[in-house]
Amino acid sequence: MSEKLLEIENLYVEYETDEEIVKAVNGLNLIINKGETLGLVGETGAGKSTTALSIMKLLPEKVGIIKDGSIILGDINITKASDADMRLLRGNSISMIFQDPMTSLNPILTIGEQISEVLELHNKEMKKEDISKRVDEILELVGLPKERKAEYPHQFSGGMKQRVVIAIALACEPKLLLADEPTTALDVTIQAQVLEMMADLKEKLNTSMILITHDLGVVAQTCDRVAIMYAGEIIELGTDKDVFESENHHPYTTGLFGSIPDLTKATKRLNPIDGLMPDPTDLPIGCAFHARCPKCMDICKKNKPKEIKKGSHMIKCHLY
């Protein structure tokens, strides 16, 4: 049986301003097991990045608020952890790879200094020579020559910068890695190399990973389980086989698959899902997807669907 690493239960997150309240995450439940990669998929605005920032406790101060629920990592309740506790956890037990490597690195520090900083913070007893050796090892691990550790971020290409960001995230061998669209800013060839490298490192270090992406092809290639997110909640969850090969799907998941171009068919236009994600300041009653759903019934407009489980496969839809 798999050993549980992270458990998110009934999580509600809001962004509160003077003008409005944005309901970003609405009753999210999720379990990540040790050594597992989970793909978190959905459109922009689904609440994927907010979920990751909640796990890291990096929501904007006084604006991003966890209203309800719990996030348990091992035996630590992150929702109740102090700032001092979180500083010890971040980079050590949990690390995050942000979307854009260009803005994730400090332009006035060498990449060696930026990797060393993480090691110094979490390993106070380490000597300078040991830290320098470890920096060399990590750079080699992510496929960068150690001789380049004295160079600055502007001297590296986009793909190399992303490797540096991954090196910083993995420096202390965290238990959980949050990768927020780590290949969005990269071209397709470099994207494939970075994903392959991340998969190799995950195997070597036995790290669990939440991979946030729009790309179902990336999910099929790298993930053990898949969670489809819409309007702040998970509407379908299962193993990669459940989501890619099962007969039954949430209509939103079916729409996502329908949006992928088919190379065997000649078509003039792609087949997108009609409409837009609902306004998070004014979410609809009933199923959040009902206004866009081709299989919408009267009950969908009135009642929220419950989770329907069949083995490892969960769908939140009135159809089933």
Side-chain angles (χ1 to χ4, degrees):
M1 185 156 171
S2 301
E3 197 179 342
K4 198 190 297 177
L5 175 68
L6 179 83
E7 183 172 12
I8 303 173
E9 201 170 330
N10 203 35
L11 183 69
Y12 285 84
V13 182
E14 292 178 359
Y15 293 108
E16 295 184 2
T17 67
D18 295 338
E19 292 162 12
E20 58 191 10
I21 294 171
V22 175
K23 294 178 178 177
V25 177
N26 305 297
L28 184 131
N29 294 292
L30 199 58
I31 288 171
I32 311 294
N33 298 311
K34 285 189 178 175
E36 171 183 68
T37 300
L38 178 114
L40 197 54
V41 183
E43 288 170 278
T44 300
K48 306 183 300 297
S49 295
T50 298
T51 302
L53 292 172
S54 302
I55 296 167
M56 293 289 283
K57 224 174 179 184
L58 285 175
L59 291 164
E61 202 174 342
K62 294 180 182 174
V63 177
I65 298 161
I66 295 174
K67 298 296 284 186
D68 197 7
S70 62
I71 302 167
I72 312 287
L73 180 75
D75 54 359
I76 299 161
N77 188 339
I78 286 173
T79 43
K80 292 181 179 173
S82 66
D83 289 346
D85 292 336
M86 287 310 299
R87 277 194 291 275
L88 293 173
L89 277 178
R90 288 188 207 112
N92 194 19
S93 295
I94 329 166
S95 281
M96 187 161 175
I97 301 166
F98 294 92
Q99 276 189 37
D100 187 3
M102 319 297 172
T103 55
S104 300
L105 297 168
N106 190 328
I108 61 167
L109 293 177
T110 66
I111 61 157
E113 287 170 331
Q114 295 187 58
I115 300 169
S116 300
E117 189 178 23
V118 185
L119 294 164
E120 285 164 11
L121 277 170
H122 296 293
N123 302 279
K124 305 270 187 209
E125 73 292 340
M126 260 180 111
K127 294 178 183 170
K128 279 197 172 177
E129 311 88 80
D130 295 333
I131 287 174
S132 182
K133 263 189 207 169
R134 181 70 182 135
V135 170
D136 292 348
E137 284 171 18
I138 294 161
L139 285 172
E140 296 284 349
L141 200 64
V142 297
L144 291 173
K146 60 186 178 186
E147 293 78 23
R148 297 197 66 181
K149 70 179 176 183
E151 294 181 18
Y152 292 86
H154 72 270
Q155 293 172 278
F156 292 83
S157 68
M160 285 175 136
K161 280 194 189 89
Q162 192 62 291
R163 285 169 187 264
V164 174
V165 171
I166 293 166
I168 293 168
L170 294 172
C172 292
E173 300 189 6
K175 297 173 190 168
L176 178 65
L177 183 64
L178 308 174
D180 188 0
E181 298 187 36
T183 56
T184 300
L186 309 175
D187 66 60
V188 177
T189 315
I190 304 300
Q191 195 178 77
Q193 289 174 8
V194 168
L195 285 168
E196 192 177 331
M197 183 196 71
M198 283 171 66
D200 288 346
L201 292 174
K202 190 187 89 69
E203 290 299 317
K204 279 179 193 167
L205 306 174
N206 195 33
T207 301
S208 300
M209 182 161 72
I210 298 177
L211 178 64
I212 296 169
T213 182
H214 296 280
D215 193 332
L216 286 162
V218 167
V219 169
Q221 184 187 336
T222 55
C223 298
D224 305 308
R225 285 195 305 139
V226 188
I228 308 290
M229 199 166 179
Y230 188 83
E233 55 186 317
I234 287 169
I235 54 170
E236 184 164 354
L237 175 70
T239 63
D240 54 347
K241 282 190 176 177
D242 290 335
V243 174
F244 283 89
E245 295 175 17
S246 173
E247 284 181 23
N248 295 333
H249 288 299
H250 192 284
Y252 178 63
T253 311
T254 306
L256 288 178
F257 283 121
S259 303
I260 301 169
D262 188 342
L263 299 178
T264 61
K265 292 176 185 171
T267 51
K268 288 184 179 177
R269 292 181 65 85
L270 293 175
N271 188 26
I273 302 167
D274 290 335
L276 297 169
M277 182 83 68
D279 181 355
T281 63
D282 184 25
L283 289 170
I285 296 164
C287 173
F289 187 61
H290 80 252
R292 305 172 71 187
C293 183
K295 296 182 178 178
C296 178
M297 305 175 284
D298 283 342
I299 192 171
C300 304
K301 298 172 186 176
K302 298 169 192 166
N303 301 336
K304 267 200 167 300
K306 291 177 181 170
E307 292 185 359
I308 308 299
K309 289 182 180 174
K310 186 180 178 184
S312 57
H313 196 189
M314 183 281 288
I315 302 174
K316 207 185 261 190
C317 182
H318 288 301
L319 279 174
Y320 307 106

